[in-house]
Amino acid sequence: MGYRIEHDTMGEVSVPEEHLWGAQTQRSLENFRISTETMPREIIEAFAILKKCAALANRDLKKLDPEKADAIVKAAEEILNGVYPDEFPLKVWQTGSGTQSNMNVNEVIAHIAAKNSGIAVHPNDHVNMSQSSNDTFPTAMHIAAAVALNRDLFPAVRMMISLLEQLEQQNASVIKIGRTHLMDAVPLRFSQEISGWRGMLEKDLQYLEESCTHLYELAIGGTAVGTGLNCPEGFDGLCAWYIAQMTGLPFEPADNKFQALTSKSAYVHVHGALKALACDLMKMANDIRWLASGPRCGIGEIHIPENEPGSSIMPGKVNPTQCEAITMIAVQVVGNDAAVSFGASQGNFQLNVFMPVLAYNMMQSVRLLSDGIRSFAANCVAGIQPDTGRMQENLNRSLMLVTCLSPAIGYENAAKAAHKAYQEHLTLKQAVVSLGFMSEDEYDREVDPEKMV
């Protein structure tokens, strides 16, 4: 491996000649040899969008030479097209402002731009013009999260909602026993149970879409501490306008740059909505695996797809693996939320210095939920089939059908009948008749599950 000499304000550094980064990237590589987590690809792409739009804004404001601006724009577009996937190796565990990743992008773009155009392009003076890591990193965080939510997660949730609507329609006539406290309760339609799952996801989508609006406010233009030092008037609005044009999302400059640099409450708000979605997915997956439990000794009211062998020792065993995957994802997202919440609380004075870990956890949560929902939908939910025979059997055996008798025989007499049936292994009908509360015909007229749902 050959090396070339790069320099920064601290001196010279040897950089592998096959790579396009500069001295500050190399210093970070050498100083932070920590674990394997690198800056999320979504953050790098957001930076490329930002650098392209910043160059265009600086050009329009007559601050950046058009030839240099064009070279920067083309270099950023190459990064967005995936031409240089190995040029962004820095770890999440670096400076809390993300300065080194900002400079990594600046250095790579400068080298690409210079190589392609034959003109000198400086990472600080040109690519980072009118910017600071302190406003570019939070801007990239917002761009990355908003784009991923709109591109990946929102469509996945809508797809799952649509799938559940179809299942509701298919099961509108199926009546089963309800359960509260894990105990038998009164009847309901299977479609009503499914509608609860659908309604949860609809609410979660509503929470996410509302919280996402706060990501459209960008810190760009605040530079080092929020005052906008070295940033020309109008740069923030013009840069945000170009970002909005590129992404199709309504980005705009934050009104208060001091808040935008130091507060990460928008991330807390969005990730809280992600946590709500994770919690509802956990509940839904648990419901499905309980209902599918068995096949002989569990509840067994539904069948789910049998995707792979479930045991290395028990032949024929099949497990609810998709439910297990989505519940593990839910656990991870809830854990990520704790990291996001705690990191966001550390906005000391004019800057939050936990931004890389905030970005890492946010993007992992969005990615996990997007992919997990699609897998859960395709490999489990789409294949749910009711076992109507088992549902009818459980419904007939349930003692909670007695609830509909309370108006006729009173709550206490209904309770006596339920206890007698349970203790003496009688049907509910036998218990009610033997206690003299009703005749068989009267019982048959009153106890109709169809009327109870």
Side-chain angles (χ1 to χ4, degrees):
M1 178 187 295
Y3 292 87
R4 69 176 188 277
I5 299 300
E6 291 279 340
H7 75 276
D8 57 16
T9 57
M10 296 184 70
E12 295 184 341
V13 180
S14 295
V15 175
E17 61 184 5
E18 71 268 24
H19 287 295
L20 297 170
W21 60 69
Q24 293 197 48
T25 301
Q26 188 65 33
R27 289 188 194 279
S28 183
L29 272 175
E30 295 172 0
N31 291 331
F32 298 96
R33 301 178 187 271
I34 303 172
S35 193
T36 59
E37 296 85 5
T38 56
M39 194 59 62
R41 180 69 198 178
E42 298 94 336
I43 295 293
I44 301 303
E45 291 173 353
F47 261 117
I49 291 170
L50 173 57
K51 298 301 175 179
K52 173 182 175 178
C53 294
L56 293 170
N58 281 315
R59 179 203 64 189
D60 293 353
L61 293 168
K62 312 298 184 187
K63 190 175 179 184
L64 180 63
D65 176 77
E67 192 175 5
K68 285 184 170 63
D70 184 61
I72 291 170
V73 165
K74 290 178 179 177
E77 288 173 346
E78 289 189 32
I79 291 171
L80 288 169
N81 289 331
V83 180
Y84 302 99
D86 299 324
E87 297 303 316
F88 307 98
L90 298 190
K91 301 297 175 61
V92 170
W93 321 109
Q94 54 168 278
T95 178
S97 63
T99 298
Q100 289 139 3
S101 283
N102 179 45
M103 285 307 304
N104 179 199
V105 176
N106 288 337
E107 289 174 343
V108 171
I109 287 178
H111 276 94
I112 298 170
K115 180 183 69 171
N116 291 346
S117 67
I119 60 177
V121 178
H122 194 278
N124 296 84
D125 294 338
H126 303 132
V127 185
N128 201 58
M129 180 182 284
S130 307
Q131 306 154 64
S132 162
S133 298
N134 296 353
D135 67 349
T136 59
F137 201 94
T139 297
M141 288 170 64
H142 278 214
I143 295 171
V147 168
L149 287 167
N150 281 277
R151 181 191 62 203
D152 302 325
L153 185 56
F154 293 172
V157 176
R158 292 187 188 109
M159 176 273 297
M160 178 68 92
I161 290 169
S162 177
L163 177 57
L164 291 171
E165 287 174 339
Q166 294 173 34
L167 283 175
E168 282 180 70
Q169 294 168 8
Q170 294 166 11
N171 292 279
S173 63
V174 178
I175 299 176
K176 63 185 291 291
I177 199 67
R179 294 177 179 87
T180 59
H181 305 268
L182 294 181
M183 308 299 284
D184 303 344
V186 296
L188 78 167
R189 297 186 189 278
F190 186 35
S191 59
Q192 292 171 324
E193 187 166 37
I194 296 168
S195 78
W197 302 335
R198 170 182 55 79
M200 291 189 303
L201 297 187
E202 287 174 339
K203 283 292 185 182
D204 292 328
L205 181 60
Q206 180 182 335
Y207 303 148
L208 282 163
E209 289 175 333
E210 186 279 327
S211 64
C212 186
T213 62
H214 302 287
L215 294 174
Y216 300 139
E217 300 176 16
L218 302 180
I220 195 68
T223 64
V225 296
T227 61
L229 182 66
N230 295 344
C231 178
E233 184 177 355
F235 172 80
D236 58 347
L238 193 53
C239 186
W241 182 84
Y242 274 117
I243 293 169
Q245 296 303 302
M246 273 196 71
T247 60
L249 299 174
F251 289 108
E252 60 184 6
D255 291 335
N256 188 323
K257 301 299 196 301
F258 304 101
Q259 182 273 340
L261 266 61
T262 194
S263 172
K264 295 295 160 276
S265 56
Y267 250 48
V268 175
H269 191 32
V270 171
H271 206 283
L274 293 176
K275 181 174 70 170
L277 173 61
C279 290
D280 281 338
L281 287 168
M282 172 75 84
K283 181 263 190 295
M284 178 179 165
N286 280 337
D287 283 355
I288 289 171
R289 61 179 169 183
W290 274 104
L291 291 173
S293 62
R296 294 285 178 86
C297 302
I299 293 175
E301 290 187 344
I302 64 173
H303 300 293
I304 57 176
E306 298 181 352
N307 296 323
E308 60 272 319
S311 174
S312 60
I313 189 173
M314 292 175 281
K317 193 172 193 292
V318 180
N319 295 328
T321 52
Q322 289 293 321
C323 294
E324 291 165 5
I326 199 71
T327 54
M328 285 193 290
I329 287 170
V331 167
Q332 183 65 53
V333 171
V334 172
N336 287 353
D337 190 71
V340 168
S341 300
F342 192 71
S345 73
Q346 303 303 302
N348 305 120
F349 303 117
Q350 278 69 59
L351 186 68
N352 179 284
V353 290
F354 284 71
M355 289 192 286
V357 74
L358 292 173
Y360 180 82
N361 280 278
M362 173 67 81
M363 301 321 305
Q364 184 189 58
S365 291
V366 174
R367 200 181 312 117
L368 282 173
L369 288 168
S370 301
D371 293 347
I373 288 171
R374 293 188 185 282
S375 178
F376 186 43
N379 299 310
C380 181
V381 178
I384 289 176
Q385 295 291 332
D387 185 329
T388 54
R390 186 62 175 265
M391 286 181 175
Q392 187 64 45
E393 177 188 352
N394 287 339
L395 180 64
N396 292 338
R397 293 173 61 219
S398 173
L399 299 178
M400 289 304 101
L401 294 178
V402 77
T403 304
C404 69
L405 297 180
S406 292
I409 66 175
Y411 183 90
E412 291 191 12
N413 285 340
K416 286 178 185 178
H419 285 298
K420 182 178 179 66
Y422 178 66
Q423 291 164 0
E424 299 180 20
H425 303 286
L426 304 173
T427 66
L428 187 60
K429 181 177 181 179
Q430 290 171 330
V432 170
V433 172
S434 68
L435 287 169
F437 296 149
M438 282 183 164
S439 68
E440 290 190 15
D441 289 342
E442 288 172 331
Y443 181 92
D444 290 338
R445 284 196 300 270
E446 291 294 330
V447 181
D448 183 356
E450 186 73 35
K451 297 176 182 177
M452 300 174 72
V453 297

